[in-house]
Structures are given as C-alpha cells and as structure tokens.
Amino acid sequence: MPSLVVDTTPLRISPAFRRLWFGLSISNLGTQLTVVAVGLQVYDITGSTFTVGILGLFALVPLIIFGLYGGAIVDHYDRRKVALYASLVSWAVILVLAIQGWADNEHVGLLFALVAVQSGANAVNAPARSAIIPRLLEPRLMPAANALQAIGFQTALTVGPLIGAALVAAFDYGLAYTVDFVLFTFALAAVFRLPPVLPEASSTRRARVGIGSIVDGLKYLGTQKNVRMTFAVDLIAMVVAMPRVVFPAVGIWYLGGGATTTGILTAALAVGAVLSGTFSGGLARVRWQARVITFAITGWGLSIVAFGLVLVAVGRDKPDHVLWAALAIACCTLVAAGGADEISAIFRQTILQTATPDDMRGRLQGVFIVVVAGGPRLGDLWIGSMSEWVGEAWAVVIGGSLCVVLLWLLVRWQRSFWDYDGRNPVA
C-alpha cells in the first residue's frame, strides 16, 4: 500500500535535497568501512582490546567539543560553506588513512590523531547538514525527509561493516580506506552543489563566534521545554537500556556462536531501523508527534526487556554450538527495538528542526550530536556495571524496565510535551 511505504515526496520536489540524500547515503557506506578498518588495524598493531577502546575516546572528546562549538559556527556563517570546509577536512583525513594503510603503518598514535581530527570535522559537518535541510523543504515534509535519511544511514550501518571486514580480510587496510575516499566524493559533490544557506537575520546573534555563543544556545535550550524533552527521553532510552555492551558475552555465554552471534545481534537493531523507515509512509500525517515518541520509546524498553528474558530463559551455560531458536527470538526482539528507536529518532529530529528558530538551529543540532553520541556510551557503562552485579541477562531486563518507568514519570511531569502539536510546533 503506497500509504505505508516511505514518502519520497522530498526527493521528488527538491533536487538539492535529493542530491544531498544520495551523496550522504553513499558516503555513509564508506564511513562504516573506515570505522571497521581502523578498529581492526589498531588491534592488528597492538593486539589489545583496551587500545581499541581508547580509540573510541579519541573520537568522543572531539565530537563533544566541536559538536557544541561547531553548532555555533553553523548559526553564524553560510551553512553550505561550513559543511563544505568540514567535508574537505574529512576527505583529507581519509586520504591520509589510505596512504598509511597502503604503507603498512604500525604507529597507532597516527591512527588516534586521524580519528580525532575526523571526528571533530564530522561534529561540525553534521549540525551544518541538519540545519540546511529545513531550508530546503517545507516543515510538513520533515518526518518523511528524516525517515529517508534514516534508511540511508541504517542501511550503511548494516552493510558497511560487513563489506569493510571482507575488504580487510581479502585485501588490505589501504583498499578499505581508498574505497571510503572514493565514496566520500559523492557527499562532497552534493554539498558543493547546494545553494548558499545564509543564517536568517537575528537581533540576538553575537558579532563573533565564541564561548558566549555556545552559552546562548544552552540557555535557550533551558527555556524550551519540548525540545529539551526530546533530548531527555532519548538519554533515558540510551543510558539505561542500550544492550549492545552485552552482545560479546551473549555470543559466548548464552547463545553460542561468538563473534558471529555478536555481529548478528548488532545487525538486528539496524535491520529494525531500516524496516521502520521503509514503512514510514503514515508518519508524515502524525499530528501528536511527542506521543508517538513516548510510545516508541516504551516499545524500545519493552523490546529490550523481552531480549533480556530470552537470555534469562536460556541461562549462562556457555553452549558449544549456536542456539538457533533462541537466537532467532532474540533477533526478533532487537529488530522490534531498532524499529521503535528509529521512529522515536525521526520525530525527535523533526521537532528539533521545526520548533527551533533558524538562528538557534545549528547550536541545538550540535547538542543533538553530543546526546546521540554520548548516550549509548554512557549506556555501555551502566549496563556493563550492572552486569557485574546481576549478570548480563538481568542487567538488560532491569535496564529495559527502568527505561519505561522513568520515561512515563518524566512525561507525566512535563505534560506540555505530551500535548505537543506538530501542526503548531512550539519549542
């Protein structure tokens, strides 16, 4: 039924959005190749899982710093130029990665530095692109546009790591990075062809970008209850109920299959997100968007509880073969969780893009990047710590249950969020 399939109207009516969507979808595939290749190369050089974990720290810190500062830059300058310059930095980093890959580099410090620079560039690029899209499309088309972007990103997240691992295994790190370098040109070309996107006039904008501009954005966020709630409910879902940290243990102690099972479980979340985006045609007509977010996060929490109960049922017995029936049921719960999370993400992004004035859009998109990146990492710490006390299975059950309880307590306390009207967006 056409009404159930993702609405492609944004692609049909806006050539600029169509080029941007296509370019980002292709380049995201290459990005996932590099994510996998860098992790594998660091492990190959050091033989240390801990060092691979440190790589994530080198990515996170610049993301937080430049996510906030980059958002302020986006609100002061031509967003096309900001995105273009940030993309050129990323492109140059990928080129250096390819060169060192072909040269068989064995200095892990170089990889740490390149990942840090690339993460900082992405932290500026992402708010710029997100702030550009509302200028290319009408507000009513934002849910459809965000669903289309979700499909492109989650498809890359599903397929990219598999291709990246295959390239490294069959050929070399240099080839994986080179493929990313080629694919990234699609995103670069799409940004280059955008029209100028100058910030709209604002009496509150400072003359120069600095700490004051960042503080202004945070102060504004503190006064906007509905936008602030989109961040708060996502943090609840990701911090207390993100199960990915237990996947390696699940592959060994619960379901069998080791790394293969870990990969399957990770892919199941992405598959759910792709499916929800593909069949999101009805979302464009949703009026009470915050209520959909609330029900979607509830679905996320309950699906995570179901995943944990599967683990409780099979027990921590370290099977010597894959428990295929249990794995299939576990994957179904994670597909449902991934689908629910993506529906929440579509409308959280929609509220942020439509309810925020243009002169604050970049800074709040920067905060969004920090929340999206930091929440799951805090979730890894929470579930990982709980697992030490009660075991992986019950840690997941407790996390999912706590997510639902905290969500509804917060929504009842912040009643205006429940009544948010997508036809009359108020931050």
Side-chain angles (χ1 to χ4, degrees):
M1 295 175 60
S3 61
L4 295 180
V5 178
V6 63
D7 184 1
T8 59
T9 302
L11 298 177
R12 295 198 305 270
I13 69 172
S14 173
F17 176 76
R18 182 169 61 248
R19 289 191 296 267
L20 188 61
W21 177 82
F22 179 76
L24 292 177
S25 297
I26 296 297
S27 68
N28 280 334
L29 181 62
T31 298
Q32 295 307 314
L33 303 185
T34 290
V35 168
V36 171
V38 169
L40 290 173
Q41 188 176 0
V42 169
Y43 187 80
D44 190 26
I45 293 171
T46 66
S48 168
T49 301
F50 175 75
T51 306
V52 178
I54 294 296
L55 185 68
L57 184 64
F58 274 84
L60 179 60
V61 173
L63 189 68
I64 294 173
I65 296 172
F66 286 95
L68 296 175
Y69 188 70
I73 294 174
V74 169
D75 284 335
H76 278 73
Y77 301 105
D78 182 348
R79 288 163 183 172
R80 171 189 172 273
K81 288 184 178 179
V82 173
L84 183 60
Y85 294 151
S87 296
L88 287 169
V89 172
S90 292
W91 202 39
V93 169
I94 300 169
L95 177 60
V96 177
L97 280 169
I99 293 171
Q100 66 84 39
W102 289 114
D104 296 324
N105 165 57
E106 294 187 357
H107 298 284
V108 72
L110 175 61
L111 292 171
F112 285 164
L114 291 172
V115 166
V117 174
Q118 186 177 41
S119 181
N122 289 340
V124 176
N125 201 353
R129 295 195 309 258
S130 296
I132 285 170
I133 292 173
R135 299 280 292 273
L136 305 178
L137 298 166
E138 300 175 46
R140 67 180 180 85
L141 294 175
M142 291 312 302
N146 289 324
L148 288 165
Q149 291 186 93
I151 292 173
F153 176 75
Q154 294 294 343
T155 300
L157 195 62
T158 305
V159 178
L162 300 176
I163 298 176
L167 288 175
V168 170
F171 299 99
D172 196 272
Y173 296 110
L175 181 59
Y177 299 134
T178 301
V179 171
D180 184 16
F181 180 78
V182 173
L183 295 181
F184 196 83
T185 59
F186 287 88
L188 195 63
V191 173
F192 180 78
R193 296 185 65 187
L194 285 171
V197 186
L198 297 171
E200 294 177 356
S202 172
S203 59
T204 62
R205 183 180 292 114
R206 293 175 182 260
R208 298 181 63 182
V209 180
I211 299 298
S213 299
I214 300 173
V215 172
D216 289 344
L218 295 175
K219 286 182 178 179
Y220 173 79
L221 177 60
T223 66
Q224 308 305 305
K225 295 182 290 187
N226 292 326
V227 172
R228 190 172 66 242
M229 276 289 289
T230 65
F231 297 142
V233 296
D234 183 52
L235 283 173
I236 287 175
M238 295 297 103
V239 172
V240 303
M242 170 53 80
R244 68 183 183 185
V245 71
V246 307
F247 289 172
V250 169
I252 296 173
W253 294 100
Y254 291 87
L255 301 178
T260 300
T261 294
T262 300
I264 292 173
L265 295 176
T266 303
L269 286 170
V271 168
V274 172
L275 288 174
S276 68
T278 302
F279 296 102
S280 62
L283 299 185
R285 298 185 293 276
V286 171
R287 177 176 181 180
W288 307 108
Q289 297 173 354
R291 299 181 188 182
V292 175
I293 293 173
T294 304
F295 287 125
I297 295 178
T298 301
W300 160 267
L302 294 177
S303 298
I304 297 305
V305 170
F307 173 65
L309 291 176
V310 173
L311 304 182
V312 171
V314 300
R316 200 174 192 272
D317 294 328
K318 198 175 184 180
D320 57 5
H321 61 281
V322 179
L323 304 180
W324 290 108
L327 178 58
I329 297 172
C331 284
C332 288
T333 65
L334 293 177
V335 167
D341 181 53
E342 195 56 51
I343 291 173
S344 165
I346 289 170
F347 282 114
R348 284 186 288 106
Q349 181 71 286
T350 297
I351 290 175
L352 179 59
Q353 290 173 321
T354 56
T356 303
D358 183 79
D359 66 332
M360 285 290 175
R361 198 169 279 150
R363 277 166 281 188
L364 294 198
Q365 286 291 344
V367 175
F368 179 83
I369 295 301
V370 172
V371 169
V372 168
R377 286 171 173 79
L378 292 175
D380 291 345
L381 180 62
W382 162 257
I383 296 293
S385 300
M386 284 288 293
S387 297
E388 294 294 317
W389 289 90
V390 299
E392 294 86 2
W394 283 110
V396 172
V397 171
I398 292 170
S401 303
L402 190 60
C403 168
V404 176
V405 172
L406 292 177
L407 169 70
W408 282 96
L409 287 175
L410 183 60
V411 171
R412 285 189 62 83
W413 174 66
Q414 195 67 70
R415 188 70 188 185
S416 65
F417 182 68
W418 180 260
D419 294 327
Y420 178 86
D421 185 353
R423 299 179 185 173
N424 183 33
V426 177

